[in-house]
Amino acid sequence: MNVIIILIIASIFVAGFFLVLFLWAVKSGQYDDSYTPSVRILFDEKKQTKKSYSDNESNIDKEHHTIGGADKRDQSTNISVNKEQHT
Amino acid sequence: MYDSGNIHTAQKTVCYHCGEDCKDDSVRLGDKVFCCTGCRTVYEMLSENDLCDYYAIEENPGVTKKNEVVRNYEFLNDNDLKNKLIDFSDGTTTTLTLYIPQMHCSSCIWILENLYKLNRAVIDSRVNFLKKQLTVKYKEQETTLKEIVELLDSLGYEPNLSLAEKEEEKNLKENRRLLYKIGVAGFSFGNVMLMSFPEYLALDSYVNDSLRYTFSYLNFLLSIPVFLYSASEYFISAYKGLQNKLVNIDVPVALGIIVLFLRSCADIAFEWGPGYFDSLTGLVFFLLIGRFFQNKTYETLNFERNYKSYFPIAVTTKKNHREISKPVEKIEVGERLVIRNNEIIPADSVLIRGKAGIDYSFVTGESAVIDKKTGDIIFAGGKQIGEAIEVDTVKEVSQSYLTRLWNNDIFTEDKESKITTLANQISKYFTFVILAIAFGSTAYWFTLNSFTAFHVFTAVLIVACPCALALSTPFTMGNTLRIFGLNKFYLKNIKFIEELGKINTIVFDKTGTITESGNSEISFIGSTLSEDDSKKVASLARNSAHPASKKIYGHLNCEELYTVNSYTEVPGKGVSGEIEGDSVKLGSAEYIFETPENTEEKARGTKVFVSINDKFCGYFLLANKYRKGLSELMFGLKNNFNMAVISGDNNSEEGTLKEIFPPETKLLFKQSPQDKFDFIAGLQKQGKKVLMIGDGLNDAGALRKSDIGISIAEDVNNFTPASDAILEAGSFNKLPQFFKFAKTSHNIVIVSFIISFIYNLIGIGFAVTGMLSPVIAAILMPLSSITVVVVTTALTGAYARMKGML
């Protein structure tokens, strides 16, 4: 039965390891900004082809419209005007 | 109005850099067209450094450089100022955090994080998009603060340099500390529960004594950090409360925690039982979660802006024909200042040279340019539109008409600490009742069995610990705060929701609050403009950056435009140009007729006169436009609230206001910022709970003085004066709903209090009869907390859905 004491202590150490991991994550600022990293991860060091990139980004675009608010100039209308005249 | 006929028209093209439409395609580089050379320069700089991904991430991501002014950052070499602006320096590396309001898309994040490619001395740059902050680390030997700021400015990301206190940093640390505490408490709670398992399942026969001791002592060890570290803020808060002779909600909580810990220690030391360590750690864990929920606020919004965060930190002074930049606070009376286009006048001054067109929109909320003549007094806070002017200061910055307001004590007082929440009101009685029950039952048991008496005493205090009570406010109000946020009403923190329910008087500012700022009702008075003529006027108006021209351009809404030749702009007067062979003029009466306009007439709104080939056609009247839904709003408010309007303007619109507002509404005009402040103070002396809604810096005193100050903004990311809440203009007519919701939330808190009292009664029933075992405590406490959390969240959510707010 005493083996259970060793197991318990081992389990506390494992749990303690995760606690330290959590504290380290907080300390390193991972909980300070919950938005920017989600955009940052999509950036690539290498130059990508324009098409696939803007496809990826269009989803984020929708999201940040609500966050960025009206700071962003209304580009969509300008662009649509352009398209109209091309066709 | 739109006709795609066979007239020759200039095609609309958008700038490759910023997406603004271009007058023509004269500014170009290869196949890319730009609206101005500024934008092209940025493009060139980026393409030279192989940073064209900027344009691949988002289309036309740039910030326009069209209305760019050359800013002088010489003052950043001033060591005093530099030290105030940077976060940290170790002699070789400097860390700097800048607020960049222009940040708006993922391309912005990308370019700002690749600053090191443009300036090799930058070691690292990181964006916090929600806060619009950029943190830069750079090598001090190789570059300067000034160079970094200039680089950002040249890219169109002009940092907002201000010396306003770095409040946010404190918040950040507090938030992290709370997370540490939650982590520690959660860790201990989980492990203590595990070790208490034999207890829960009554596995006594399987567990031998040595194992039981091990478990008890491990529980004890695990609880020590929870007791000493995680729960510490409850002890501090209770102590502070008692010092001020206040029995706040944290007093019974702290009492419960201390008794729980001591009793549990005694239990294991004297082998009376396993102790209540599971309840203790669980209690602290739940309480901290509640606190975390309640602290979740709108980090993107800034509720603390005062004039300092909006005034420049340095201005150009002129002495013996030499221009030097000087920190604003060092400016003395009688100094000569040079104010350029778009710069703000930092102190009350007299105009000495140049044509001043002052835009007081930050102060009054009204975006109209007021012309000043030499010798006129210009109040601090106005923004110069047009050419560079020279002024002599007549007051110090802190003593100016507007800024004097901030010398009032009210701005240093802690407004929130004065609010007494329902929970704190109840806790006083609650604590005394609990203590009475504890002592009463102990006295009863003492005659029978002194040992049981001790048990009963501690058991009552443990089980009565108002965990559920302490959780009901954070969860109800936290959820309400979130629902308000979804409806574009952002409160600084949950304390103001209870206050909102108590309001009985509402005071409105006029300009920019009940009228729409920057959006005037435009009507053309005179002979009707033909389609072709209005197209000409629109083409001319588009060339000018003046707010009135922009409004007229927007009003005319022409799809196709002409090219304008020999365009001239006389600052503060008007614009003219040759369009399709006709000379078109647009501007003030003086500009068109060469005689000044009758001042009496001016009150109704701004007039912009039009002449084509020197023939007067009529004028555009830019009148104040009242917000949509204002009369419905009055209908919703008039039965429950007293109302008042205080305006800095003259009484030209008194008639209109009387029609909109109920008859007993007080209407005050020509009120200075101090008058507004005094008016609120007067109402409060009459015992009224006052809500103030305003939008400009001149309302800041009144907003601060009122019980709740709401600043209204077309876009919440724009400038708002310090306030307790920010309301997006679109939700203005939802105000009555917010009031009702706040009252309902208050009632929900009462319901949850009743629920937690019932649990307490059951618990006390066990306690006074001496039957409270650790297992019962471990079941009752989380159960009551969870019930309260579920009930409050569900009720607020259901009510919001019923009212269509979710």
Side-chain angles (χ1 to χ4, degrees), chain B residues 17-184:
Chain B
H17 176 69
C18 69
E20 297 245 324
D21 40 332
C22 306
K23 269 178 237 168
D24 46 48
D25 53 6
S26 60
V27 186
R28 60 191 309 156
L29 193 80
D31 58 340
K32 296 174 177 74
V33 185
F34 300 92
C35 65
C36 56
T37 45
C39 286
R40 190 177 61 187
T41 317
V42 179
Y43 174 76
E44 279 168 350
M45 184 159 77
L46 295 181
S47 63
E48 267 167 33
N49 288 286
D50 199 22
L51 287 170
C52 281
D53 272 358
Y54 183 58
Y55 300 100
I57 297 167
E58 300 257 349
E59 274 190 69
N60 320 109
V63 178
T64 187
K65 305 283 274 181
K66 211 188 255 173
N67 309 319
E68 193 66 357
V69 280
V70 182
R71 274 175 282 263
N72 184 354
Y73 288 110
E74 212 51 55
F75 61 88
L76 289 176
N77 287 332
D78 183 295
N79 262 333
D80 275 0
L81 257 175
K82 203 163 88 186
N83 288 335
K84 278 184 196 163
L85 285 167
I86 61 169
D87 300 341
F88 172 75
S89 161
D90 64 0
T92 50
T93 340
T94 302
T95 312
L96 166 76
T97 306
L98 294 164
Y99 174 66
I100 301 177
Q102 280 89 348
M103 210 185 276
H104 63 274
C105 66
S106 12
S107 275
C108 300
I109 301 176
W110 185 81
I111 193 72
L112 292 171
E113 298 205 334
N114 278 298
L115 271 190
Y116 68 95
K117 289 190 180 155
L118 293 165
N119 184 336
R120 297 286 161 190
V122 173
I123 301 164
D124 183 39
S125 54
R126 281 249 141 176
V127 169
N128 185 332
F129 187 76
L130 294 180
K131 289 184 182 163
K132 304 204 176 207
Q133 271 177 350
L134 176 72
T135 310
V136 189
K137 254 185 230 163
Y138 63 90
K139 291 180 202 145
E140 256 168 71
Q141 270 81 22
E142 289 169 43
T143 190
T144 58
L145 173 62
K146 183 177 156 240
E147 280 175 12
I148 302 272
V149 171
E150 275 173 347
L151 171 65
L152 287 169
D153 188 20
S154 68
L155 290 172
Y157 298 103
E158 183 207 346
N160 191 343
L161 298 166
S162 89
L163 295 174
E165 277 170 66
K166 297 196 168 179
E167 182 78 21
E168 280 169 30
E169 216 130 287
K170 213 179 85 199
N171 281 344
L172 186 73
K173 280 205 183 111
E174 230 154 72
N175 214 11
R176 282 189 189 177
R177 203 173 311 137
L178 188 59
L179 280 171
Y180 292 147
K181 285 179 176 173
I182 291 177
V184 170

Side-chain angles (χ1 to χ4, degrees), chain B residues 680-696:
Chain B
I680 303 282
L683 286 174
Q684 284 177 331
K685 271 213 182 104
Q686 294 168 30
K688 288 183 172 143
K689 281 273 181 187
V690 189
L691 176 104
M692 167 83 198
I693 308 179
D695 74 320

Side-chain angles (χ1 to χ4, degrees), chain B residues 653-665:
Chain B
E653 297 200 29
E654 196 172 348
T656 335
L657 285 172
K658 272 193 173 146
E659 277 170 34
I660 301 167
F661 282 86
E664 63 274 18
T665 306

Side-chain angles (χ1 to χ4, degrees), chain B residues 249-383:
Chain B
I249 186 77
D250 291 336
V251 172
V253 171
L255 191 69
I257 294 172
I258 292 171
V259 172
L260 258 172
F261 187 72
L262 294 179
R263 164 75 192 266
S264 308
C265 290
D267 269 7
I268 59 163
F270 301 114
E271 292 176 28
W272 293 336
Y276 299 84
F277 289 118
D278 47 349
S279 298
L280 169 72
T281 47
L283 173 76
V284 174
F285 181 64
F286 283 126
L287 284 171
L288 289 174
I289 295 273
R291 195 155 282 209
F292 182 72
F293 196 75
Q294 125 181 25
N295 280 3
K296 222 94 203 82
T297 46
Y298 304 101
E299 51 187 15
T300 20
L301 303 178
N302 191 337
F303 293 95
E304 307 292 349
R305 289 184 188 130
N306 65 10
Y307 72 93
K308 276 187 196 146
S309 48
Y310 140 78
F311 273 29
I313 55 171
V315 280
T316 320
T317 59
K318 199 172 180 184
K319 212 173 186 180
N320 306 330
H321 301 286
R322 274 191 56 220
E323 290 188 8
I324 7 167
S325 55
K326 204 170 177 184
V328 153
E329 66 248 58
K330 286 186 189 160
I331 292 172
E332 286 155 24
V333 174
E335 258 185 287
R336 177 72 51 97
L337 309 180
V338 181
I339 310 285
R340 297 199 170 79
N341 187 18
N342 274 325
E343 285 186 343
I344 285 157
I345 292 118
D348 294 354
S349 325
V350 178
L351 182 62
I352 300 295
R353 188 180 299 158
K355 285 205 172 103
I358 308 294
D359 174 4
Y360 278 114
S361 59
F362 283 102
V363 181
T364 60
E366 162 108 2
S367 57
V369 178
I370 298 161
D371 296 327
K372 296 274 181 188
K373 288 188 221 56
T374 330
D376 282 355
I377 293 268
I378 304 171
F379 290 121
K383 192 196 253 179

